[in-house]
Each structure stands twice: as structure tokens, then as C-alpha cells.
Amino acid sequence: MNNYSEKFKKMRIAGKLASQTLDMLTDYVKPGISTEKIDQLSYEFINDNGGYSAPLYYRGFEKSLCASLNHVVCHGIPSDRILDEGDAVNIDVTAIVNEYHGDTSRMFTIGDISIKAKNLIDATYESMMKAIKILKPGIKLGDIGYEIQSYVEDKGFSVVKDFCGHGISNVFHEPPNVLHYGKKNTGIELKPGMTFTIEPMINAGKFDVKVLNDGWTAVTKDKSLSAQFEHTVGITEDSYEIFTESVKDYRKPPYN
């Protein structure tokens, strides 16, 4: 038995609850629901299943998830805003179970969306999975960033540079920072037992973002659409493990 097996066991439990929360929400994310209601459903589900919502009161954040709509890049605050046909929203949940964290997000589409939005969402998901699939001991953090950046820029999109993935375990955010852009063979070398998130934020326009006066909501400066997906992963002896995979095999929208 390796020295991180207990940690991975706890990460699996927290990661599973986080992904099951998104699976549950899928039936509710439809035209007519508010992001506040989605937040409430998430809070209750996580609590009912033995966990706690990590974002709630984290550094003063007053909701239990982030709901980032259309040109919101990340950290959107749930509100009475009703989801309408044509909207695209990222829902980001983090569950704590027995002090360990599972952090994951998915895009949800409301009815028919534009071709450009669909292409952006697809490219964002694929860039995350391309980065995950190269994970193993010995590669460098820069290799992760390179996979994401080269893939999305080739499709005419841009990588947000102001926010990044992060180490995670019994601490919500810890080293290392996992940049979603970079050069091959640069940065920290991955080692067995490391656990972190990969969560590319990709814009249809330029990569520049600004944070609104609420101190949380980050939006694209040019008001272009933004998309994000996130998984929590661990490095094994010779490969990787995704702790936040959907039990229902939901990957990217539309979720059937």
C-alpha cells in the first residue's frame, strides 16, 4: 500500500458527492429556474449526503456554489436571475466530506444555443480532457498548460490567465498553481500522491477579464462568451485518477 492511499480514498468520497450534485442538478437546470434555486438545491443535496458546501462563507462568499452565466468567467454569485433559452452557465460545486474536498464544474446549456457557444463549450471540455490524459509522474505542470493552450488557440479561442487550477486535499486551495497555458517541460514535476484541479476557463474573444464591484464575479472585458469545466485529479504510480467523474457518465452538454 502506498502512503497516499488513505488520502485518495477520502478524495474519492468527496469527489463523488460533488459530481453527484451536478448530476442531480442536471434535471433542474432548465428555462425558468433561478441560479439562487440551483444554489439551494445543491446546498440541501450535499448536506443530506453527509457533506458541506466548501464555498459557503469561504473568504466571505455567501453562497454554496458558483453560477457563471454567459460572459461571466468564474465566481458568479447565485441570484434571482432566471435562466432563459440560449443561456450557457457554468455550475461549480465543491463538497467537503470528512475534511477532504471534491471540486468540479460543468457547463449547462439552456435550450438552443449558438453554434459559436457550442463550439466554445466543446473545445473547453476537450482541452481539459486532453490535459488530463497526459497526466503521470515525471511530466511537468507546463505540459498541462501547453495541451490546453495549443488546443483552444488553434480553434480561435483564448485561455484566461488570471485564474488557474490548484492543489486540493483537506485544504480547499493549496500549492501548486495549475496554469492553463504554458510551455512543455517547464514548472514542477508531477509525483505520485499529488492532488489538484484542472479547470480551464476559455473565452470566445480575448483572454482579458475584470472583477466586478462585488469582489467576486469575473467577466470577460470584451463581453465575449466564456466556458469552463473542472475535475479534481490525483497522480498515481504510473498514471492518474479522476475523483469527480459523473456517475451518470455526463460529460458535456446536452446531457441526455
Side-chain angles (χ1 to χ4, degrees):
M1 188 178 281
N2 55 56
N3 61 2
Y4 56 83
S5 60
E6 197 56 37
K7 171 185 171 184
F8 273 34
K9 201 160 128 188
K10 291 176 176 174
M11 295 290 286
R12 273 181 214 116
I13 294 166
K16 185 177 180 183
L17 180 53
S19 65
Q20 284 177 313
T21 305
L22 291 179
D23 286 354
M24 176 277 295
L25 289 174
T26 304
D27 292 335
Y28 294 93
V29 182
K30 303 262 181 345
I33 195 170
S34 69
T35 52
E36 177 79 66
K37 180 66 177 175
I38 292 167
D39 180 79
Q40 183 191 333
L41 288 165
S42 171
Y43 172 81
E44 289 169 359
F45 183 84
I46 290 172
N47 266 33
D48 289 348
N49 287 278
Y52 183 77
S53 296
L56 190 57
Y57 306 127
Y58 179 77
R59 295 182 180 169
F61 194 78
E62 293 188 351
K63 301 295 178 180
S64 55
L65 56 71
C66 297
S68 302
L69 201 58
N70 299 327
H71 73 292
V72 177
V73 175
C74 61
H75 305 153
I77 303 170
S79 69
D80 57 6
R81 163 68 152 87
I82 300 291
L83 297 182
D84 293 323
E85 187 89 13
D87 282 334
V89 60
N90 176 271
I91 298 176
D92 187 342
V93 303
T94 307
I96 306 174
V97 185
N98 296 324
E99 298 184 359
Y100 278 76
H101 296 70
D103 188 1
T104 185
S105 82
R106 289 179 212 153
M107 294 300 296
F108 292 81
T109 53
I110 316 305
D112 289 329
I113 59 167
S114 69
I115 296 293
K116 184 159 193 177
K118 184 182 184 314
N119 289 344
L120 174 67
I121 289 168
D122 287 351
T124 305
Y125 176 79
E126 296 303 333
S127 74
M128 174 183 70
M129 293 312 299
K130 277 181 170 292
I132 289 173
K133 281 169 183 170
I134 66 163
L135 296 177
K136 62 180 181 181
I139 75 156
K140 305 279 184 68
L141 280 178
D143 299 338
I144 294 171
Y146 174 82
E147 285 295 319
I148 292 166
Q149 183 177 20
S150 57
Y151 183 76
V152 300
E153 288 184 354
D154 193 47
K155 296 192 172 295
F157 302 128
S158 63
V159 180
V160 171
K161 296 182 176 175
D162 293 52
F163 301 96
C164 59
H166 52 90
I168 185 169
S169 59
N170 56 346
V171 177
F172 194 174
H173 296 91
E174 61 186 9
N177 286 337
V178 182
L179 304 181
H180 302 117
Y181 61 95
K183 294 186 177 145
K184 281 186 174 179
N185 208 32
T186 62
I188 295 168
E189 184 179 305
L190 302 191
K191 292 186 166 48
M194 288 176 76
T195 48
F196 52 86
T197 69
I198 297 180
E199 47 181 299
M201 287 148 264
I202 309 300
N203 295 346
K206 295 181 178 172
F207 63 77
D208 309 87
V209 307
K210 65 178 180 181
V211 176
L212 301 185
N213 290 338
D214 59 30
W216 286 102
T217 310
V219 300
T220 55
K221 270 194 179 172
D222 60 9
K223 298 209 164 46
S224 65
L225 284 172
S226 188
Q228 182 187 20
F229 285 87
E230 175 181 19
H231 271 316
T232 300
V233 299
I235 305 302
T236 63
E237 292 304 308
D238 56 4
S239 186
Y240 65 88
E241 180 175 345
I242 302 174
F243 299 121
T244 48
E245 275 195 298
S246 165
V247 179
K248 294 189 175 179
D249 203 32
Y250 292 155
R251 295 171 186 270
K252 60 184 181 180
Y255 304 110
N256 299 320

